């Protein structure tokens, strides 16, 4: 059966059979880097088109339907437009930091991909602190946003960046506690161990009600961390023009735009890994025949299906709920989600110690 895991294994065997180990490792690193860049480009095109089609469906309209079959090439046309636009740097801006900020944001997004398992045996680096690595590196993105807001020499940009900083730092707490609740069940920070622990069922179902609460809190928190509506106070058009990237144009703006959608994919991939088994097929206890039937579906399709389902849910949020005020946004985290996350973690710890999970 043709699948990603078979392709990657074949390439690995060919490289190490043809070249010496050092050259094979360098070539593998080069291939991985090119694949990551290609993945980012494809995700940007696909997710922007998906966003427009989902919003059109929610609002009972057609969405993009002129450029290409069914509007499929609309995002390609938009990319060409952004590539041909001149990148301007405003007077009074800190030119070095202004130009560095968009690259900082996109590089952080690339680094987070490292421990993500896209399919069985398809992972850049199965680091033994994978979950901790993701939590630590993802927090660096706020530095690029603050850098962009301050370096732009624009009050709207600075206000947007400060809002984004407060928002990301606040909601990271609830997201982190939701992650810890799954780590408590598995007893490991390694991504492959977390996936393997869901061979007989996904943690969303095996972990009882606390796992479901953690899942809901995680989805809400990462929606806020990625500055998505209804938590898009950092880019509130009616108040801050375009927030922290008001002064950006051309490919620098495109990098911020791309990073937003790539981050949506990454957080949904992490949610799918922690709560829905990642690439693991749907297995139910000792239902041997059912489990064997599920194994016929390639692991890469399981991963993509779960991830894009969660992306659809986050897009559904955007076109359903109105934008919150900044005080409502912070009150939701500090007064409700954080206390609930702490109590839920204690409950999950009790369930793990007592072995009450399935």
């Amino acid at each position: 059966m043709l699948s990603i895991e078979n392709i990657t294994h074949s390439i690995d065997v060919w490289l190490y059979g043809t070249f010496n180990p050092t050259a094979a490792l360098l070539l593998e690193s080069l291939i991985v880097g090119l694949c990551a860049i290609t993945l980012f480009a494809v995700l940007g095109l696909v997710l922007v088109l998906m966003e427009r089609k989902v919003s059109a469906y929610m609002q009972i309209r057609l969405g993009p339907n002129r450029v290409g079959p069914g509007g499929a090439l609309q995002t390609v046309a938009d990319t060409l437009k952004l590539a041909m636009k001149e990148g301007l740097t405003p007077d009074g801006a800190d030119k070095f930091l202004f130009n560095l900020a968009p690259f900082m944001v996109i590089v952080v997004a690339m680094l987070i991909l490292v421990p993500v398992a896209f399919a069985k045996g398809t992972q850049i680096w199965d680091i033994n602190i994978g979950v901790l690595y993701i939590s630590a590196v993802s927090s660096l993105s706020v530095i690029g946003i603050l850098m962009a807001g301050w370096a732009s020499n624009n009050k709207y940009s600075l206000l947007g960046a400060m809002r984004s900083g407060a928002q990301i730092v606040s909601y990271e707490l609830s997201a982190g506690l939701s992650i810890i609740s799954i780590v408590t069940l598995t007893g490991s920070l390694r991504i492959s161990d977390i996936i393997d622990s869901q061979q007989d069922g996904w943690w969303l179902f095996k972990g009882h009600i606390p796992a479901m609460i953690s899942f809901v809190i995680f989805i809400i928190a990462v929606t806020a961390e990625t500055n998505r509506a209804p938590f898009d106070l950092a880019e509130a058009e009616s108040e801050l023009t375009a927030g922290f990237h008001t002064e950006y144009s051309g490919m620098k703006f495109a990098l911020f735009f791309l990073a937003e959608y790539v981050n949506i994919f990454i957080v949904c991939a992490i949610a799918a890994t922690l709560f829905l088994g990642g690439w693991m097929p749907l297995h139910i206890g000792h239902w041997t025949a059912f489990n064997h039937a599920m194994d016929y579906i390639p692991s890469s399709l399981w991963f993509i299906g779960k991830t894009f389902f969660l992306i659809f849910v986050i897009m559904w949020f955007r076109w359903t709920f109105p934008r919150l005020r900044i005080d409502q946004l912070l009150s939701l985290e500090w007064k409700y989600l954080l206390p609930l996350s702490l109590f839920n973690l204690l409950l999950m710890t009790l369930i793990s110690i007592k072995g009450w999970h399935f």
Side-chain angles (χ1 to χ4, degrees), residues 11-32:
I11 293 172
D12 181 69
V13 169
W14 179 78
L15 284 174
Y16 279 91
T18 307
F19 303 96
N20 64 66
T22 303
L25 180 61
L26 289 173
L27 286 171
E28 268 194 353
S29 301
L30 179 62
I31 292 170
V32 167

Side-chain angles (χ1 to χ4, degrees), residues 314-353:
I314 287 181
M315 290 180 177
W316 194 354
F317 284 174
R318 175 172 185 174
W319 302 103
T320 303
F321 299 108
R323 181 184 294 138
L324 300 178
R325 296 196 313 265
I326 188 67
D327 60 313
Q328 292 173 329
L329 181 142
L330 295 176
S331 293
L332 174 64
E333 165 61 15
W334 293 101
K335 292 183 179 178
Y336 300 99
L337 292 185
L338 183 58
L340 181 59
S341 298
L342 288 168
F343 174 77
N344 192 61
L345 179 58
L346 290 174
L347 189 58
M348 185 67 85
T349 305
L350 179 63
I351 287 175
S352 179
I353 292 172

